[in-house]
Amino acid sequence: MEYSDKVFDHFTNPRNVGEIPDANGIGEVGNAKCGDIMKIYLKVNDDEIIEDVKFKTFGCGAAIATSSMATEMVKGKSLSEALKLTNQAVAEALDGLPPVKMHCSVLAEEALRSAIADYYRKLGKDPEAILGCSMDCASCHHEHDHG
Amino acid sequence: MNRFVYADNAATTPMSESVYNAMKPWLTEHYGNPSSLYRIGREAKKAITEARHKVARALNAADPTEIIFTGGGSQADNLAIRGYVKGLSARGRKHIITTKIEHHAVLYTCEALEKEGYPVTYLNVDAQGHVDLDQLREAISDNTAIVSVMAANNEIGTIQDLKAISDIAHAAGAVFHTDAVQAVGHMALDVQAMGIDLLSLSGHKFRGPKGIGALYCRKGIALQPLVYGGGQERGLASGTENVAGMVGLGAAIEEATGENLAPKMDYVRGLTNRLVEGIMKIPYTHFTGDPVNRLPGTASFVFEAIEGEGLILRLDFAGVCASTGSACSTGSLDPSHVLMAIGLPHEIAHGSLRLTLGEQNTVEDVDYLIETVTKVVEGLRAMSPVWIDGKPDLTAATELHS
């Protein structure tokens, strides 16, 4: 299994690590049993622009690198743009991931969408209408690629 | 500039200079095939015989012909188990008993044989990795052909009571095989005193070359070969001999055992004790394996709230070579089978670290390891969502804290 230089870069010097005390959207996906947990904090302004984003991740090198890259890719973007971010785009931005690590990019996408869903929920809006899914990943029965 | 500290001596060891020098002529000048009748062939044959004597002496085998050179430890394990149950000495007995913490060379051989109709019992181990002898006594029967239990575990270093196991096996008329790949050159082994019928070893685990190992097979045991051909190694490992490898294995085992063993391992044990003391100062860290009755160079730990692959990569950036049993290293969702068998919860087992020292390591290496591991663990915990206010937030960990 080989990691690209970009994965190593983002794993060694991860961007946007930490918490946002006054975050208005927080998403957490994964579980410790599987060895991956990602938590993303969003600070979204009234124009629905992501002003700040931070993450905390328990997981392997790829999990940390995809969290770092995904947060970089949505910083300063609008929520509608952020919702278009796919796990493949995150993986491509890292110059690819080994096949067994693709699920880490899925987690990054889910963590972000889950934080956005939380933002809408806090505003009293139904996230399902906007995201097409409640992003309540803990009780979700969809089959995710978690290989 | 970072130091470079190799702390993965259970994975492999650096070949010793004298072993390399002993091998060199057998790679270049003395290239004869040991089966050839002319002088350079006979010389090669003689070199192999000498190497065989050295291996026999190191294990206290009754006769050098009991040593069969193989292409490594895994081949020796395969030959021992498959060769025995398929061979004449099994006298129709089919049952195999092994443990849940064996190396995959043993486990996967047993699983393959299971599919061929050989029933297998996988013994449990306790929290420190000792085999459940009561379960062995219950499971063994007059259909049991072979009991295969490793001498010392590769991940956690726990040493088994080999004599007690062989006594139980022999009382039921079964033979006893031990995978001693991790043990030879690191602890005293005596096949006669310990009642060992079959023993696997590997050269590169005690500063010899890779690609060469040996199976000790007590006289009178008839194995079925895995490979057919020119009949080398009493027909049990056909193929033109790896002369240089055999010479290297002989030189390495001579350097690592006998009178050399105790002083070397006392030194390594001292280093490991210092290492364990230092690493255990990191909060929410657990030592895995038997803290006393373990391989002198093996120290394995689990750190709560972090994952092992990240740990290994960051240690690598700091010049430290170490290993982990986390799922991300195994390519599956499950952490290592050994850590599962000793009862560690998944959540905790993901944060495992194995540091294994050798005679080439120094006190300075150990201090650098302690400093570096402490820093890397702190750094990963700082970005872990399950590390909150200096404490792990893992429900699975509560039991370990009580």
PDB file of all heavy atoms in Angstrom, chain B residues 2 278-279 282 303 306 311 314-315 318 367-383:
ATOM      1  N   ASN B   2      17.301  13.969  12.526  1.00  0.00           N
ATOM      2  CA  ASN B   2      16.734  12.924  13.362  1.00  0.00           C
ATOM      3  C   ASN B   2      17.693  11.752  13.524  1.00  0.00           C
ATOM      4  O   ASN B   2      18.488  11.476  12.638  1.00  0.00           O
ATOM      5  CB  ASN B   2      15.466  12.362  12.701  1.00  0.00           C
ATOM      6  CG  ASN B   2      14.278  13.259  12.939  1.00  0.00           C
ATOM      7  OD1 ASN B   2      14.207  13.945  13.948  1.00  0.00           O
ATOM      8  ND2 ASN B   2      13.354  13.248  11.998  1.00  0.00           N
ATOM      9  N   GLY B 278       9.509   3.866  30.630  1.00  0.00           N
ATOM     10  CA  GLY B 278       9.330   5.191  30.032  1.00  0.00           C
ATOM     11  C   GLY B 278       8.012   5.340  29.293  1.00  0.00           C
ATOM     12  O   GLY B 278       7.311   6.340  29.441  1.00  0.00           O
ATOM     13  N   ILE B 279       7.657   4.337  28.523  1.00  0.00           N
ATOM     14  CA  ILE B 279       6.429   4.421  27.713  1.00  0.00           C
ATOM     15  C   ILE B 279       5.190   4.375  28.618  1.00  0.00           C
ATOM     16  O   ILE B 279       4.194   5.049  28.363  1.00  0.00           O
ATOM     17  CB  ILE B 279       6.360   3.277  26.671  1.00  0.00           C
ATOM     18  CG1 ILE B 279       7.534   3.336  25.689  1.00  0.00           C
ATOM     19  CG2 ILE B 279       5.016   3.275  25.933  1.00  0.00           C
ATOM     20  CD1 ILE B 279       7.505   4.432  24.663  1.00  0.00           C
ATOM     21  N   ILE B 282       3.218   7.452  29.792  1.00  0.00           N
ATOM     22  CA  ILE B 282       2.218   8.123  28.954  1.00  0.00           C
ATOM     23  C   ILE B 282       0.845   7.735  29.518  1.00  0.00           C
ATOM     24  O   ILE B 282       0.575   6.542  29.700  1.00  0.00           O
ATOM     25  CB  ILE B 282       2.341   7.680  27.476  1.00  0.00           C
ATOM     26  CG1 ILE B 282       3.750   7.999  26.941  1.00  0.00           C
ATOM     27  CG2 ILE B 282       1.258   8.324  26.611  1.00  0.00           C
ATOM     28  CD1 ILE B 282       4.044   7.419  25.559  1.00  0.00           C
ATOM     29  N   PHE B 303      -2.383   2.441  23.185  1.00  0.00           N
ATOM     30  CA  PHE B 303      -2.640   3.811  23.619  1.00  0.00           C
ATOM     31  C   PHE B 303      -4.093   4.113  23.308  1.00  0.00           C
ATOM     32  O   PHE B 303      -4.524   3.938  22.161  1.00  0.00           O
ATOM     33  CB  PHE B 303      -1.754   4.804  22.864  1.00  0.00           C
ATOM     34  CG  PHE B 303      -0.292   4.521  23.001  1.00  0.00           C
ATOM     35  CD1 PHE B 303       0.405   3.918  21.957  1.00  0.00           C
ATOM     36  CD2 PHE B 303       0.378   4.835  24.169  1.00  0.00           C
ATOM     37  CE1 PHE B 303       1.759   3.653  22.082  1.00  0.00           C
ATOM     38  CE2 PHE B 303       1.734   4.569  24.301  1.00  0.00           C
ATOM     39  CZ  PHE B 303       2.429   3.967  23.260  1.00  0.00           C
ATOM     40  N   ILE B 306      -6.119   6.780  20.055  1.00  0.00           N
ATOM     41  CA  ILE B 306      -5.434   6.998  18.783  1.00  0.00           C
ATOM     42  C   ILE B 306      -5.408   5.693  17.993  1.00  0.00           C
ATOM     43  O   ILE B 306      -5.730   4.627  18.517  1.00  0.00           O
ATOM     44  CB  ILE B 306      -3.994   7.533  18.961  1.00  0.00           C
ATOM     45  CG1 ILE B 306      -3.142   6.561  19.772  1.00  0.00           C
ATOM     46  CG2 ILE B 306      -4.001   8.924  19.569  1.00  0.00           C
ATOM     47  CD1 ILE B 306      -1.671   6.880  19.705  1.00  0.00           C
ATOM     48  N   LEU B 311       0.256   6.395  14.002  1.00  0.00           N
ATOM     49  CA  LEU B 311       1.370   6.337  14.947  1.00  0.00           C
ATOM     50  C   LEU B 311       2.656   5.862  14.244  1.00  0.00           C
ATOM     51  O   LEU B 311       3.715   6.476  14.367  1.00  0.00           O
ATOM     52  CB  LEU B 311       0.952   5.357  16.054  1.00  0.00           C
ATOM     53  CG  LEU B 311       1.813   5.157  17.278  1.00  0.00           C
ATOM     54  CD1 LEU B 311       2.018   6.464  18.013  1.00  0.00           C
ATOM     55  CD2 LEU B 311       1.130   4.148  18.217  1.00  0.00           C
ATOM     56  N   ARG B 314       3.954   8.501  11.686  1.00  0.00           N
ATOM     57  CA  ARG B 314       4.597   9.661  12.318  1.00  0.00           C
ATOM     58  C   ARG B 314       5.909   9.274  12.994  1.00  0.00           C
ATOM     59  O   ARG B 314       6.850  10.059  13.025  1.00  0.00           O
ATOM     60  CB  ARG B 314       3.651  10.311  13.318  1.00  0.00           C
ATOM     61  CG  ARG B 314       2.530  11.022  12.597  1.00  0.00           C
ATOM     62  CD  ARG B 314       1.984  12.158  13.399  1.00  0.00           C
ATOM     63  NE  ARG B 314       1.189  13.003  12.523  1.00  0.00           N
ATOM     64  CZ  ARG B 314       0.654  14.145  12.880  1.00  0.00           C
ATOM     65  NH1 ARG B 314       0.830  14.596  14.099  1.00  0.00           N
ATOM     66  NH2 ARG B 314      -0.047  14.851  12.031  1.00  0.00           N
ATOM     67  N   LEU B 315       5.974   8.056  13.516  1.00  0.00           N
ATOM     68  CA  LEU B 315       7.243   7.591  14.095  1.00  0.00           C
ATOM     69  C   LEU B 315       8.279   7.444  12.983  1.00  0.00           C
ATOM     70  O   LEU B 315       9.448   7.769  13.166  1.00  0.00           O
ATOM     71  CB  LEU B 315       7.053   6.247  14.826  1.00  0.00           C
ATOM     72  CG  LEU B 315       6.328   6.314  16.170  1.00  0.00           C
ATOM     73  CD1 LEU B 315       6.073   4.906  16.718  1.00  0.00           C
ATOM     74  CD2 LEU B 315       7.133   7.118  17.188  1.00  0.00           C
ATOM     75  N   ALA B 318       9.980  10.476  12.201  1.00  0.00           N
ATOM     76  CA  ALA B 318      10.959  10.832  13.235  1.00  0.00           C
ATOM     77  C   ALA B 318      12.115   9.833  13.261  1.00  0.00           C
ATOM     78  O   ALA B 318      12.937   9.850  14.181  1.00  0.00           O
ATOM     79  CB  ALA B 318      10.275  10.897  14.589  1.00  0.00           C
ATOM     80  N   ASP B 367      16.046   5.972  24.918  1.00  0.00           N
ATOM     81  CA  ASP B 367      15.598   7.290  25.378  1.00  0.00           C
ATOM     82  C   ASP B 367      14.963   8.083  24.241  1.00  0.00           C
ATOM     83  O   ASP B 367      13.982   8.804  24.442  1.00  0.00           O
ATOM     84  CB  ASP B 367      16.765   8.050  26.030  1.00  0.00           C
ATOM     85  CG  ASP B 367      17.180   7.389  27.346  1.00  0.00           C
ATOM     86  OD1 ASP B 367      16.391   6.560  27.864  1.00  0.00           O
ATOM     87  OD2 ASP B 367      18.280   7.668  27.846  1.00  0.00           O
ATOM     88  N   TYR B 368      15.519   7.932  23.047  1.00  0.00           N
ATOM     89  CA  TYR B 368      14.921   8.607  21.884  1.00  0.00           C
ATOM     90  C   TYR B 368      13.535   8.025  21.578  1.00  0.00           C
ATOM     91  O   TYR B 368      12.599   8.751  21.248  1.00  0.00           O
ATOM     92  CB  TYR B 368      15.837   8.470  20.666  1.00  0.00           C
ATOM     93  CG  TYR B 368      15.318   9.205  19.447  1.00  0.00           C
ATOM     94  CD1 TYR B 368      15.302  10.596  19.410  1.00  0.00           C
ATOM     95  CD2 TYR B 368      14.813   8.502  18.342  1.00  0.00           C
ATOM     96  CE1 TYR B 368      14.814  11.274  18.299  1.00  0.00           C
ATOM     97  CE2 TYR B 368      14.325   9.170  17.232  1.00  0.00           C
ATOM     98  CZ  TYR B 368      14.327  10.556  17.207  1.00  0.00           C
ATOM     99  OH  TYR B 368      13.834  11.222  16.124  1.00  0.00           O
ATOM    100  N   LEU B 369      13.404   6.697  21.721  1.00  0.00           N
ATOM    101  CA  LEU B 369      12.100   6.052  21.502  1.00  0.00           C
ATOM    102  C   LEU B 369      11.068   6.592  22.478  1.00  0.00           C
ATOM    103  O   LEU B 369       9.948   6.940  22.084  1.00  0.00           O
ATOM    104  CB  LEU B 369      12.212   4.527  21.675  1.00  0.00           C
ATOM    105  CG  LEU B 369      12.899   3.740  20.567  1.00  0.00           C
ATOM    106  CD1 LEU B 369      13.087   2.280  20.982  1.00  0.00           C
ATOM    107  CD2 LEU B 369      12.083   3.807  19.275  1.00  0.00           C
ATOM    108  N   ILE B 370      11.440   6.682  23.739  1.00  0.00           N
ATOM    109  CA  ILE B 370      10.489   7.155  24.759  1.00  0.00           C
ATOM    110  C   ILE B 370      10.055   8.582  24.440  1.00  0.00           C
ATOM    111  O   ILE B 370       8.861   8.893  24.408  1.00  0.00           O
ATOM    112  CB  ILE B 370      11.125   7.076  26.172  1.00  0.00           C
ATOM    113  CG1 ILE B 370      11.431   5.619  26.549  1.00  0.00           C
ATOM    114  CG2 ILE B 370      10.206   7.718  27.217  1.00  0.00           C
ATOM    115  CD1 ILE B 370      12.307   5.447  27.773  1.00  0.00           C
ATOM    116  N   GLU B 371      11.039   9.426  24.130  1.00  0.00           N
ATOM    117  CA  GLU B 371      10.758  10.832  23.840  1.00  0.00           C
ATOM    118  C   GLU B 371       9.862  10.961  22.600  1.00  0.00           C
ATOM    119  O   GLU B 371       8.863  11.692  22.597  1.00  0.00           O
ATOM    120  CB  GLU B 371      12.115  11.504  23.601  1.00  0.00           C
ATOM    121  CG  GLU B 371      12.093  12.989  23.379  1.00  0.00           C
ATOM    122  CD  GLU B 371      13.426  13.462  22.777  1.00  0.00           C
ATOM    123  OE1 GLU B 371      14.506  12.966  23.188  1.00  0.00           O
ATOM    124  OE2 GLU B 371      13.375  14.318  21.865  1.00  0.00           O
ATOM    125  N   THR B 372      10.207  10.223  21.562  1.00  0.00           N
ATOM    126  CA  THR B 372       9.489  10.339  20.286  1.00  0.00           C
ATOM    127  C   THR B 372       8.076   9.772  20.374  1.00  0.00           C
ATOM    128  O   THR B 372       7.121  10.398  19.913  1.00  0.00           O
ATOM    129  CB  THR B 372      10.265   9.602  19.180  1.00  0.00           C
ATOM    130  OG1 THR B 372      11.629  10.002  19.249  1.00  0.00           O
ATOM    131  CG2 THR B 372       9.721   9.935  17.810  1.00  0.00           C
ATOM    132  N   VAL B 373       7.939   8.607  20.978  1.00  0.00           N
ATOM    133  CA  VAL B 373       6.612   8.002  21.092  1.00  0.00           C
ATOM    134  C   VAL B 373       5.706   8.913  21.927  1.00  0.00           C
ATOM    135  O   VAL B 373       4.554   9.150  21.574  1.00  0.00           O
ATOM    136  CB  VAL B 373       6.689   6.576  21.697  1.00  0.00           C
ATOM    137  CG1 VAL B 373       5.300   6.046  22.026  1.00  0.00           C
ATOM    138  CG2 VAL B 373       7.421   5.618  20.751  1.00  0.00           C
ATOM    139  N   THR B 374       6.248   9.448  23.008  1.00  0.00           N
ATOM    140  CA  THR B 374       5.453  10.336  23.868  1.00  0.00           C
ATOM    141  C   THR B 374       4.927  11.520  23.058  1.00  0.00           C
ATOM    142  O   THR B 374       3.745  11.858  23.118  1.00  0.00           O
ATOM    143  CB  THR B 374       6.316  10.830  25.060  1.00  0.00           C
ATOM    144  OG1 THR B 374       6.842   9.691  25.734  1.00  0.00           O
ATOM    145  CG2 THR B 374       5.489  11.662  26.024  1.00  0.00           C
ATOM    146  N   LYS B 375       5.820  12.130  22.265  1.00  0.00           N
ATOM    147  CA  LYS B 375       5.432  13.294  21.458  1.00  0.00           C
ATOM    148  C   LYS B 375       4.391  12.937  20.405  1.00  0.00           C
ATOM    149  O   LYS B 375       3.410  13.658  20.211  1.00  0.00           O
ATOM    150  CB  LYS B 375       6.672  13.845  20.738  1.00  0.00           C
ATOM    151  CG  LYS B 375       7.273  15.051  21.419  1.00  0.00           C
ATOM    152  CD  LYS B 375       8.285  15.688  20.487  1.00  0.00           C
ATOM    153  CE  LYS B 375       9.618  15.826  21.206  1.00  0.00           C
ATOM    154  NZ  LYS B 375      10.756  15.945  20.333  1.00  0.00           N
ATOM    155  N   VAL B 376       4.624  11.825  19.708  1.00  0.00           N
ATOM    156  CA  VAL B 376       3.710  11.438  18.622  1.00  0.00           C
ATOM    157  C   VAL B 376       2.335  11.082  19.183  1.00  0.00           C
ATOM    158  O   VAL B 376       1.309  11.476  18.617  1.00  0.00           O
ATOM    159  CB  VAL B 376       4.313  10.272  17.793  1.00  0.00           C
ATOM    160  CG1 VAL B 376       3.287   9.693  16.845  1.00  0.00           C
ATOM    161  CG2 VAL B 376       5.532  10.753  17.015  1.00  0.00           C
ATOM    162  N   VAL B 377       2.302  10.374  20.298  1.00  0.00           N
ATOM    163  CA  VAL B 377       1.014  10.022  20.906  1.00  0.00           C
ATOM    164  C   VAL B 377       0.268  11.297  21.310  1.00  0.00           C
ATOM    165  O   VAL B 377      -0.919  11.452  21.028  1.00  0.00           O
ATOM    166  CB  VAL B 377       1.204   9.077  22.121  1.00  0.00           C
ATOM    167  CG1 VAL B 377      -0.090   8.922  22.906  1.00  0.00           C
ATOM    168  CG2 VAL B 377       1.702   7.705  21.651  1.00  0.00           C
ATOM    169  N   GLU B 378       0.991  12.238  21.908  1.00  0.00           N
ATOM    170  CA  GLU B 378       0.371  13.514  22.299  1.00  0.00           C
ATOM    171  C   GLU B 378      -0.203  14.234  21.080  1.00  0.00           C
ATOM    172  O   GLU B 378      -1.320  14.747  21.116  1.00  0.00           O
ATOM    173  CB  GLU B 378       1.407  14.430  22.953  1.00  0.00           C
ATOM    174  CG  GLU B 378       1.498  14.264  24.450  1.00  0.00           C
ATOM    175  CD  GLU B 378       2.677  15.049  25.038  1.00  0.00           C
ATOM    176  OE1 GLU B 378       3.206  15.969  24.374  1.00  0.00           O
ATOM    177  OE2 GLU B 378       3.076  14.710  26.170  1.00  0.00           O
ATOM    178  N   GLY B 379       0.575  14.259  20.005  1.00  0.00           N
ATOM    179  CA  GLY B 379       0.158  14.961  18.789  1.00  0.00           C
ATOM    180  C   GLY B 379      -1.098  14.355  18.181  1.00  0.00           C
ATOM    181  O   GLY B 379      -2.003  15.070  17.745  1.00  0.00           O
ATOM    182  N   LEU B 380      -1.168  13.024  18.156  1.00  0.00           N
ATOM    183  CA  LEU B 380      -2.341  12.363  17.569  1.00  0.00           C
ATOM    184  C   LEU B 380      -3.560  12.512  18.478  1.00  0.00           C
ATOM    185  O   LEU B 380      -4.680  12.669  18.003  1.00  0.00           O
ATOM    186  CB  LEU B 380      -2.046  10.890  17.295  1.00  0.00           C
ATOM    187  CG  LEU B 380      -1.081  10.614  16.122  1.00  0.00           C
ATOM    188  CD1 LEU B 380      -0.710   9.145  16.065  1.00  0.00           C
ATOM    189  CD2 LEU B 380      -1.687  11.047  14.791  1.00  0.00           C
ATOM    190  N   ARG B 381      -3.313  12.469  19.777  1.00  0.00           N
ATOM    191  CA  ARG B 381      -4.428  12.656  20.706  1.00  0.00           C
ATOM    192  C   ARG B 381      -4.990  14.071  20.587  1.00  0.00           C
ATOM    193  O   ARG B 381      -6.202  14.266  20.706  1.00  0.00           O
ATOM    194  CB  ARG B 381      -3.981  12.372  22.141  1.00  0.00           C
ATOM    195  CG  ARG B 381      -3.971  10.875  22.436  1.00  0.00           C
ATOM    196  CD  ARG B 381      -3.450  10.588  23.831  1.00  0.00           C
ATOM    197  NE  ARG B 381      -3.633   9.182  24.169  1.00  0.00           N
ATOM    198  CZ  ARG B 381      -3.119   8.600  25.250  1.00  0.00           C
ATOM    199  NH1 ARG B 381      -2.375   9.311  26.086  1.00  0.00           N
ATOM    200  NH2 ARG B 381      -3.338   7.325  25.497  1.00  0.00           N
ATOM    201  N   ALA B 382      -4.118  15.034  20.327  1.00  0.00           N
ATOM    202  CA  ALA B 382      -4.577  16.425  20.221  1.00  0.00           C
ATOM    203  C   ALA B 382      -5.568  16.584  19.084  1.00  0.00           C
ATOM    204  O   ALA B 382      -6.393  17.488  19.097  1.00  0.00           O
ATOM    205  CB  ALA B 382      -3.380  17.345  20.026  1.00  0.00           C
ATOM    206  N   MET B 383      -5.496  15.726  18.076  1.00  0.00           N
ATOM    207  CA  MET B 383      -6.478  15.861  16.989  1.00  0.00           C
ATOM    208  C   MET B 383      -7.523  14.748  17.001  1.00  0.00           C
ATOM    209  O   MET B 383      -8.266  14.569  16.039  1.00  0.00           O
ATOM    210  CB  MET B 383      -5.782  15.988  15.636  1.00  0.00           C
ATOM    211  CG  MET B 383      -4.943  14.861  15.211  1.00  0.00           C
ATOM    212  SD  MET B 383      -4.558  15.137  13.461  1.00  0.00           S
ATOM    213  CE  MET B 383      -2.840  14.986  13.462  1.00  0.00           C
TER     214      MET B 383
END
